[in-house]
Structures are given as C-alpha cells and as structure tokens.
Amino acid sequence: MIWLGGVAAFWAAALALNVWLSNSAWRRTWAVRLAVPAIFGLTILVVWEGLVRGLGVPSVILPPPTAIGARIASSTSILWVDFVQTFVKGALSGYVMGCSAAVLTAIVIDRSPFLKQGLLPVGNFIAALPIIGTAPILVMWFGFDWQSKAAVVVAMVFFPVLVNTVQGLAASDPMQRDLMRTWSASYGQTLLKLRLPAAMPFIFNGLKIATTLALIGAIVAEFFGSPIRGMGFRISTEVGRLALDMVWAEIAVAALAGSAFYGLVALAERAVTFWHPSQRGE
Amino acid sequence: MRSVLPILTVVMAILALWYGAAVMLNRQWTLDQAARAGQDLTIAQIVADTMAQDRPKLPAPHQVGAELWNTTGAMVLEGRAFTRRSLIWHGWVTLSATLVGFGIGTGLGILLAVGIVHNRAMDMSVMPWAIASQTIPILAIAPMIIVVLNSVGISGLLPKAIISAYLSFFPVVVGMVAGLRSPDRMQLDLLRTYSASPSQAFWKLRWPSSMPYLFTSLKVGMAASLVGAIVGELPTGAVRGLGARLLAGSYYGQTVQIWSALFAAAILAATLVGIIGLIQRITLKRMGMAR
C-alpha cells in the first residue's frame, strides 16, 4: 500500500512539475527542454518500480528497474562480449559494407537514365518488404557466426541507402550543373565537387534509417542460429530460462547502442552538411 | 507508363542473375552426387539438375513459383485452402495479427499525436522519447513479450498483435505530430478571426491538412507491423504463421519452403502497402490535394 501511495504521490508531483515547467517563462531554455523529458522518463521508472513492488509482480513477468540495473552492473563482461559479437562484428561490418555498396551502386546507376527508371521503383518496392525474412536463408549460406549476420545487415540497409542516394544525386539543380559545364568540368569533377556534396543530406537520411535497421537485422538474425554469444542469442535463451532481468539488461544495451549509433551518424551529418538549411538552425 | 520497359528489364535481369546464381550454388552438390555414382555429366545435365534439386542451396525461381502455387492455388482447387499445409492459412494467421496490431497501434498513435499537439507539457515530455524510440531496435523485445504473455496465459493472436501495435505506434505518432502541425500560422490565425473553437480548428484545418502525413506514416507502420507479426511468430516454436514457416524451413533445411514463405510475406506486404497507397490516392484526389 505504501508503495502504491508513494507512486501516486510521485506521479502527481512530477506531472505538476512538468506542467508548470512547460508553461513557465523558461520553457525555451535548453535546461528546461532537457529536464522535462528527463523527469518524464524518471517518472516512468519510478512508477514501474513502485507498481512492481507494490503489486508484488513476480520477476519472471516484469523485473523492477533496480533489479535490471543490478544485473547490468553484475554481468558487464557477458554484455560486453555480446555487444562485440552482435554490434561490432555483425551490425557495424554489415552496415559499412552495405552502405558503401549502395552508394557505389547508386553512382553507377546514375550514369544510365534507363537503369535509374527501372531500378528506382524496384528498389522502393524491395525497401518496403520484410527483408528480415531472408535471415534464415543467409544463416544457412554463411554459417552461424557473424558473417551471416553481416550479410543480413547488408541486405537490409542496401535498398534504403540506394534509393536515397539516387534521389540525392538528382538533387543539384540544372543551373548548377550547367555552370559546371561552362567551366568544362569533367564528369568526375562534377560528381565530386557538386553532385555528391548536394546529395549528402539525402545520403545521410538513408544512413540514419539504416542504423536502426542494421541493429535489428543483426539481433533478429541471431534468433535463427548463432554461436553461444551475441545479443539476439542471449535474449532468446534467457527468455527461455525466464531470466527476464538479463533480457531487459540486453535490451537496455541494445537501446543505448542504437541511440549512440544514430547519434554518431547525426553528428557526422552535422559536420558534413553544415551548409544545409536544416543544419544551420535559427 | 513509360517506365514499364525499364522496370521489366530490371526484373528480367534479376531473374537471370537468380538462375545463374542457382546454377553456381547448386552445382557442387550435383557434381558430388555424380562423382559418387561414377558418372560423367554434360553441362546441360548439370544445369538441368541444379534446377530440380529437393533441397537446393538456392532454389530456382520456377521451383519457388511452383511451391507457392502448390501451397495456395492448388490447395484452393482441392478445397483445402485452410489446412495446415496451406500458405493461405499461415498467411491469414500472420495477416490477422498484423491488422489487429496495426489498428491498435495507429489508433493509439493518432490519439497521442492529438494530445501532443494540444498539450505543451505532453509535447515536451513525450516527444523526445517518441523520436528517440525510432533509433532503438524495438524488435528485440518481441520474444520477451511473447513468452511473458504466454506465461500469464495469453497466447495466440494477441501477443503478436501487441508487438505489431508497438512497432507501428511510433512512426504514426511522429508522422501525425508533423502533419497536425503542418498548417501555417496564417491559416490558424484566419480560423481565430472566425472565432473558431479548438475542436473546429482541429476538424476543419489540422485534421484535413495532416492527411498526406498520415498516409505516409501508415505505409511505414504497416510494413513494420508485418515484420513485427512475423518475428513474433518465431519464439513460440514454429506453430503457425509465415514466421513459423520460415523457422521450420530453416530447422529442416527446406529451402524451397523458406523462399515460398518469404515471397508470400513479400506479396502480403506489397498488397497491404499498395492498398494504403490506393486509398491515399483516392482520398487526396477527392480532397484536391493530389500532386
């Protein structure tokens, strides 16, 4: 009862604080902009903890956040091994291979309008399909280790990046291209100095979409077979043993890795496309 | 229409590549069999055999097509469309979970977006999390949801629908918030000069102008729901659904079955997204917003 009462009181207080903060005079300052979502997240954690303890929910259904935190602290070595296996070996290598292949393919396709007209609709179509379904096939072809996961990631990230890059290469205006021609710039010069830079906002859009897809691909591919390490392997086996605190710990690591990966790509985007209106800010 | 020829060319090229890859990948097995039997094969015999293996590394397109027909059309003709061997039945299991989840997810997503647009406290506290959630591999929690709900006695369609709902929820929230905010200041001010109530402003201006955003995010959400339903079928031990066919196929090395399930899923996804696209085109045309 004490837990439930405390939860209700904390929730009401946090809600009141957030409403007050977001209507206060400082609502445009960065501190408040950061504090409000942080308070909201904290409230969810506290309510979760309080409800689990107050209602006596068994930990095989939903472990409280403190138990998950303790599990993360006590099994960092396992989490690190899994992280290296799934993220660094599987997702990251596949991401690099898939994205560079897609950008290179886009540059090749771009020379032929006929191919572009044919490949764009097909690429758009394939990008909407459940490509994750190829995971069992690729696991069969490339074996259980990280190579098959990287292959799944390549298949998943290829088409979104391809479609975005092809669109991006068409983004420079005819006027700018004509200007390059008046300077008698070669194809390579036009590509490097005008069209690739102009395509960067589009390419980064594809790259950002691909970060999430890469991590999903690497984790789900492990459900179809993996060596005895890796985030997807750990999730599926620990779920089987009903050790849900470990599962939540892996999910926390995956969430953290996913946001950090996305954040890094977004930072690279800021550095590369500093000239674009969306990055200049007000 | 002028892009039909290029598209056909690309599709033909993909098919040609596929046949070539099938010959390359399956050749080794054919050669091994022949060596064991002490035969010499001509090139034509090798090629013919690579197209007709039982468990090829890469089934040829016509094998996948035949398997698809045998498990759908042929079963309908025999009147066994809803037996366990029929892909129509498995597809229906997946489709129903997808649609239920998609309905729940988009409904809640639109409601939350309306709340976010009208309430500043909600906007500031929820929106950053909704955006951040797009960078998280949410699909990783699918097995846990399935097993936990199973352990409290909920199984069948609902757990998969919850995963689908969860996956389609966030794209719809983010898209709809952008859509409901898309009217200009000027248009909102105009409504204020008419002394329109907030609900009038919502129904006459914000809601109609959010339609293009709504349909775009519905397409994303639908594709995500289908993936969610398929992945949700994996941890229950390959009982029913397209995901179960994938998993069973990978356990028993039935590559033709995997490929046919994969194509069934692809056809399902393309149909669903296509239907939304059609509704989008009709709606926007009647609203005078078609481009």
Side-chain angles (χ1 to χ4, degrees):
Chain A
M1 230 25 233
I2 299 170
W3 280 104
L4 293 184
V7 163
F10 186 88
W11 180 70
L15 184 67
L17 180 64
N18 257 358
V19 169
W20 177 74
L21 269 178
S22 55
N23 288 314
S24 69
W26 313 293
R27 66 165 187 270
R28 304 231 175 267
T29 58
W30 63 268
V32 172
R33 275 161 182 267
L34 219 62
V36 172
I39 293 171
F40 179 76
L42 187 70
T43 313
I44 288 188
L45 286 184
V46 170
V47 169
W48 176 356
E49 178 89 34
L51 285 184
V52 167
R53 288 186 188 277
L55 300 175
V57 178
S59 71
V60 294
I61 290 178
L62 188 66
T66 45
I68 298 166
R71 171 60 78 170
I72 293 178
S74 68
S75 47
T76 40
S77 61
I78 296 179
L79 291 173
W80 175 248
V81 168
D82 291 348
F83 173 80
V84 169
Q85 170 74 16
T86 302
F87 186 80
V88 180
K89 288 188 184 165
L92 210 56
S93 60
Y95 180 81
V96 171
M97 283 189 274
C99 292
S100 38
V103 171
L104 291 179
T105 314
I107 292 174
V108 172
I109 291 172
D110 188 62
R111 295 209 82 164
S112 146
F114 182 77
L115 261 183
K116 205 161 66 173
Q117 243 174 29
L119 255 175
L120 255 191
V122 175
N124 260 324
F125 174 75
I126 296 179
L129 297 182
I131 299 182
I132 194 74
T134 56
I137 297 161
L138 292 170
V139 169
M140 228 176 247
W141 285 0
F142 293 100
F144 282 165
D145 209 354
W146 63 270
Q147 290 89 345
S148 63
K149 278 71 200 174
V152 174
V153 174
V154 168
M156 283 189 81
V157 302
F158 184 77
F159 285 99
V161 177
L162 177 74
V163 170
N164 273 294
T165 311
V166 171
Q167 276 176 348
L169 286 174
S172 56
D173 8 303
M175 195 86 93
Q176 297 166 327
R177 264 176 275 171
D178 279 352
L179 183 61
M180 293 301 277
R181 200 163 307 137
T182 61
W183 288 333
S184 87
S186 66
Y187 170 79
Q189 284 172 323
T190 316
L191 186 70
L192 275 183
K193 305 205 165 162
L194 169 64
R195 302 182 58 212
L196 271 183
M200 277 305 159
F202 292 83
I203 295 178
F204 270 104
N205 188 25
L207 291 182
K208 284 197 284 190
I209 297 172
T211 54
T212 321
L213 290 177
L215 208 48
I216 289 177
I219 291 177
V220 174
E222 287 182 359
F223 295 162
F224 288 97
S226 71
I228 51 163
R229 57 185 183 276
M231 292 155 101
F233 166 80
R234 195 76 57 201
I235 288 173
S236 56
T237 48
E238 297 293 330
V239 157
R241 292 169 49 197
L242 289 179
L244 285 195
D245 49 350
M246 190 66 199
V247 177
W248 278 102
E250 286 287 352
I251 289 169
V253 172
L256 215 62
S259 329
F261 192 13
Y262 186 92
L264 278 179
V265 175
L267 273 183
E269 180 185 20
R270 279 190 95 93
V272 174
T273 64
F274 56 90
W275 47 272
H276 193 260
S278 68
Q279 299 295 337
R280 288 201 299 254
E282 304 105 317
Chain B
M1 275 300 114
R2 71 203 163 85
S3 58
V4 169
L5 186 68
I7 293 178
L8 274 182
T9 315
V10 168
V11 171
M12 295 311 283
I14 290 175
L15 279 183
L17 275 178
W18 186 348
Y19 270 111
V23 172
M24 292 301 292
L25 282 168
N26 301 338
R27 193 183 51 190
Q28 196 54 48
W29 194 81
T30 307
L31 290 178
D32 287 351
Q33 289 297 96
R36 213 165 292 158
Q39 297 168 316
D40 276 327
L41 295 176
T42 61
I43 305 244
Q45 279 171 318
I46 294 176
V47 170
D49 188 78
T50 54
M51 302 279 149
Q53 289 174 5
D54 244 0
R55 293 178 175 191
K57 270 193 155 174
L58 176 64
H62 67 263
Q63 283 180 297
V64 178
E67 168 82 9
L68 264 179
W69 171 250
N70 285 337
T71 47
T72 55
M75 312 243 352
V76 173
L77 293 184
E78 290 169 31
R80 300 192 298 145
F82 282 88
T83 53
R84 300 187 65 85
R85 275 186 48 72
S86 153
L87 262 191
I88 298 179
W89 183 71
H90 287 290
W92 167 247
V93 169
T94 305
L95 177 67
S96 53
T98 307
L99 289 181
V100 171
F102 177 72
I104 299 173
T106 43
L108 290 179
I110 293 172
L111 281 183
L112 183 66
V114 172
I116 285 176
V117 168
H118 286 98
N119 183 325
R120 194 183 293 137
M122 239 166 127
D123 176 21
M124 289 183 78
S125 36
V126 180
M127 205 51 199
W129 292 104
I131 293 174
S133 73
Q134 305 237 305
T135 68
I136 296 172
I138 297 177
L139 213 52
I141 65 167
M144 187 177 59
I145 293 182
I146 298 282
V147 171
V148 165
L149 288 183
N150 240 331
S151 72
V152 294
I154 304 171
S155 62
L157 185 141
L158 200 60
K160 288 187 278 176
I162 290 176
I163 295 169
S164 289
Y166 200 62
L167 283 174
S168 58
F169 177 70
F170 290 107
V172 172
V173 171
V174 176
M176 273 309 272
V177 167
L180 291 173
R181 291 221 170 111
S182 63
D184 303 344
R185 249 262 84 76
M186 197 91 89
Q187 295 169 317
L188 288 168
D189 280 349
L190 181 63
L191 279 186
R192 197 161 305 143
T193 63
Y194 294 158
S195 91
S197 66
S199 81
Q200 281 175 321
F202 178 79
W203 288 114
K204 294 187 194 263
L205 176 61
R206 285 187 188 274
W207 179 252
S209 51
S210 71
M211 281 302 121
Y213 295 84
L214 175 66
F215 282 111
T216 310
S217 45
L218 284 187
K219 283 185 195 165
V220 177
M222 185 56 103
S225 295
L226 186 65
V227 172
I230 290 176
V231 173
E233 281 157 358
L234 299 180
T236 46
V239 188
R240 60 183 77 172
L242 292 176
R245 292 288 281 189
L246 285 176
L247 193 63
S250 87
Y251 279 164
Y252 301 116
Q254 299 285 0
T255 39
V256 183
Q257 181 188 323
I258 300 181
W259 279 90
S260 65
L262 187 61
F263 268 75
I267 294 167
L268 201 59
T271 317
L272 291 173
V273 174
I275 290 173
I276 296 179
L278 197 67
I279 299 174
Q280 172 182 26
R281 197 171 301 165
I282 295 171
T283 315
L284 294 190
K285 202 166 193 174
R286 294 201 58 174
M287 290 172 66
M289 293 168 92
R291 272 163 297 163

